[in-house]
Amino acid sequence: MGQYRYTLRVLVLISLILSSVTVFARGVYQTNQDFLSDTFNDAVPKSKVVWLKGDLASTVTAILGHNYAGLRIRYWRNEQRSVWILEEIGKEKPITFGIVVAAGKIESIKVLAFRESRGGEIRHPAFTQQFKQATLNNMKLDRHIDGVSGATLSVRAMTDVARLALYLDKFTG
Amino acid sequence: MNRRMRSLHRTMGAIVAIFVLILSVTGILLNHTSDFDLDKRHLTSDWLLDHYGLTNTKADAVYLLDRHTISQFGSQVFIDANPVTQSHVPILGGIIIDDLMVLATEDALLLFSPEGEFIERMGESVGVPAMIQNIGLFHGDPVVQTRNGMWRSDFMLDQWEQLSLDGVGWSEPHLMPSSVQDELSQYFRGNGITVERVILDIHNGRILGKYGVWFADLLGAFLVLISLTGLWLWLRRRL
């Protein structure tokens, strides 16, 4: 009987320790400049801006579910690709995403800076590879994105900016 | 040995029991933040706001641009009494060019419309010089002083040339106007501290300041120790 009580005690303590652990995943993983240099092999084209006005502002609001944090969005485009550096709030703080769009499809998506205390798992390639070759279909991605446990809001943020980048690529292309 | 381990185990248990209870209760509450609306409820008692330093709403930086007061409290940037954006680095100054309000931080320029709407953050990736120390105007053109020298641009802010100029009107900090200070105090006191923040700070020990984090670490070490002594005693009993 005694050993079961000890087993129970140990299990309770282990679960308490685990439940009190907060996963910190904050950090700048790549600067915007390095991301652009990598993407364009150091031949970064001159940036352009798209102003979020009128119908475009309404569409962007519909995609994100709220206004974009800024009246204009800057992007970089050469013959093959457009690159978007977008910020979207996960739970409380903005996450910076770098998105490369080629031929109307996501070529890559990357978390450049993550400021939340939870949900940083979305930066891993094992998760981001789901977005490769995704296109926009009726304002939604053409595929289901598997979530990450405990990172629902971060996953939603990444899905929203992927949709936004695809839409803006088409709008400006 | 067995008796000493049991004694150690009991002593540790007594020490950490109360804190385990606190950790458990606050942990459970944090798991249900949304269910209980803990992130929407605010505490406004004086001693708590004092503890969080909210009674004294002193801005980290204040600049006057035209008829607007720009201020920064921590990472939050205000235009007059309206929170407009976040900057995790200090605002170093501001200018007005054409219809734009431009604030400088060490690594970027923050652009706002005349109505105070956030337009864009322009950093090194769009050609803005790095390591900015101040911003000013020279015959209407924006100029930044950086650790690597002085740079001038035009209203587009995406092409900068390095040069040396005399007579630049540099942005300078100001005192907070009392009317804006009153509005900001109302802003902070009106919201207060969320219950979630207080519970989280109790949970991770930050409610006790920097010592709280060390205390939480110590408690964690105790928990590891009590687990190990418990396991040891259990194994000894089975053998």
Side-chain angles (χ1 to χ4, degrees):
Chain A
M1 191 66 190
Q3 71 246 36
Y4 292 118
R5 212 166 53 226
Y6 273 120
T7 309
L8 191 64
R9 189 183 294 180
V10 168
L11 286 175
V12 167
L13 281 171
I14 289 172
S15 60
L16 281 172
I17 291 168
L18 290 178
S19 70
S20 66
V21 168
T22 306
V23 180
F24 287 96
R26 296 172 184 149
V28 175
Y29 302 116
Q30 191 173 29
T31 64
N32 297 356
Q33 202 170 7
D34 288 346
F35 174 70
L36 289 166
S37 295
D38 282 358
T39 304
F40 290 110
N41 287 327
D42 291 330
V44 181
K46 188 169 165 48
S47 65
K48 299 175 180 177
V49 294
V50 54
W51 284 86
L52 306 181
K53 291 178 176 174
D55 289 345
L56 178 59
S58 306
T59 307
V60 169
T61 301
I63 289 172
L64 297 177
H66 58 82
N67 292 343
Y68 185 75
L71 293 183
R72 75 184 187 197
I73 294 176
R74 194 166 289 272
Y75 65 100
W76 294 258
R77 182 189 290 280
N78 65 10
E79 292 75 25
Q80 293 87 32
R81 305 141 137 183
S82 68
V83 171
W84 304 83
I85 294 178
L86 302 172
E87 290 201 338
E88 174 66 347
I89 289 177
K91 183 168 188 250
E92 292 174 334
K93 296 179 178 171
I95 307 167
T96 307
F97 296 95
I99 305 133
V100 183
V101 182
K105 297 176 180 177
I106 300 277
E107 183 179 296
S108 67
I109 186 164
K110 190 169 185 180
V111 175
L112 302 181
F114 193 86
R115 304 171 184 88
E116 304 271 17
S117 57
R118 314 170 55 160
E121 298 82 3
I122 61 164
R123 73 184 184 278
H124 297 307
F127 176 74
T128 59
Q129 69 177 4
Q130 295 183 84
F131 289 84
K132 279 188 178 173
Q133 299 303 308
T135 60
L136 208 53
N137 185 4
N138 239 349
M139 303 304 279
K140 292 183 177 174
L141 294 184
D142 65 345
R143 65 193 61 193
H144 173 74
I145 301 295
D146 290 333
V148 176
S149 179
T152 309
L153 294 174
S154 300
V155 170
R156 176 178 287 189
M158 185 177 273
T159 307
D160 286 347
V161 295
R163 291 164 59 218
L164 180 58
L166 286 168
Y167 180 78
L168 290 174
D169 173 73
K170 192 175 175 188
F171 183 86
T172 57
Chain B
M1 183 67 179
N2 210 8
R3 183 179 294 175
R4 196 181 299 165
M5 196 62 80
R6 193 182 300 276
S7 169
L8 179 64
H9 186 72
R10 282 181 177 157
T11 307
M12 290 288 173
I15 291 172
V16 301
I18 185 75
F19 300 105
V20 167
L21 279 172
I22 292 171
L23 272 176
S24 312
V25 172
T26 51
I28 289 167
L29 287 173
L30 287 172
N31 271 345
H32 297 278
T33 295
S34 301
D35 299 333
F36 297 138
D37 283 342
L38 299 180
D39 51 348
K40 297 186 181 69
R41 297 176 194 219
H42 293 82
L43 298 172
T44 54
S45 67
D46 285 341
W47 68 268
L48 189 66
L49 294 182
D50 280 346
H51 182 71
Y52 278 91
L54 283 188
T55 304
N56 180 21
T57 50
K58 190 174 183 319
D60 300 318
V62 180
Y63 295 92
L64 299 184
L65 290 186
D66 198 7
R67 56 204 156 75
H68 292 296
T69 302
I70 314 299
S71 59
Q72 185 176 19
F73 294 77
S75 62
Q76 185 65 57
V77 180
F78 289 82
I79 293 184
D80 300 324
N82 302 312
V84 286
T85 190
Q86 299 226 330
S87 173
H88 298 281
V89 288
I91 302 289
L92 302 171
I95 55 170
I96 290 185
I97 45 169
D98 290 340
D99 281 346
L100 290 177
M101 277 192 275
V102 182
L103 307 184
T105 69
E106 65 173 6
D107 60 357
L109 301 177
L110 310 178
L111 278 54
F112 297 86
S113 72
E115 292 74 35
E117 294 170 288
F118 178 60
I119 296 173
E120 190 193 358
R121 180 181 184 282
M122 295 178 69
E124 213 176 340
S125 58
V126 291
V128 173
M131 296 186 285
I132 295 172
Q133 295 172 313
N134 203 351
I135 187 167
L137 286 170
F138 184 78
H139 297 304
D141 286 339
V143 178
V144 292
Q145 177 68 53
T146 73
R147 286 188 201 167
N148 299 322
M150 196 181 292
W151 301 74
R152 181 173 67 180
S153 182
D154 56 21
F155 69 97
M156 293 295 286
L157 298 165
D158 57 354
Q159 302 269 0
W160 294 81
E161 59 168 337
Q162 190 167 16
L163 36 66
S164 181
L165 297 167
D166 288 326
V168 176
W170 295 111
S171 175
E172 290 183 0
H174 283 71
L175 293 173
M176 177 75 83
S178 58
S179 58
V180 179
Q181 176 69 57
D182 291 345
E183 283 185 66
L184 284 166
S185 295
Q186 179 64 40
Y187 173 87
F188 285 116
R189 297 302 295 257
N191 282 337
I193 298 283
T194 64
V195 177
E196 181 190 27
R197 169 74 191 273
V198 175
I199 292 175
L200 181 62
D201 287 349
I202 294 171
H203 188 73
N204 60 25
R206 288 178 201 277
I207 196 82
L208 299 176
K210 62 180 178 182
Y211 301 108
V213 179
W214 290 104
F215 187 75
D217 289 346
L218 189 64
L219 181 63
F222 276 151
L223 284 169
V224 170
L225 201 55
I226 200 173
S227 305
L228 294 175
T229 53
L231 275 173
W232 193 87
L233 289 168
W234 178 69
L235 286 170
R236 289 281 298 177
R237 181 165 292 198
R238 282 181 65 88
L239 292 173

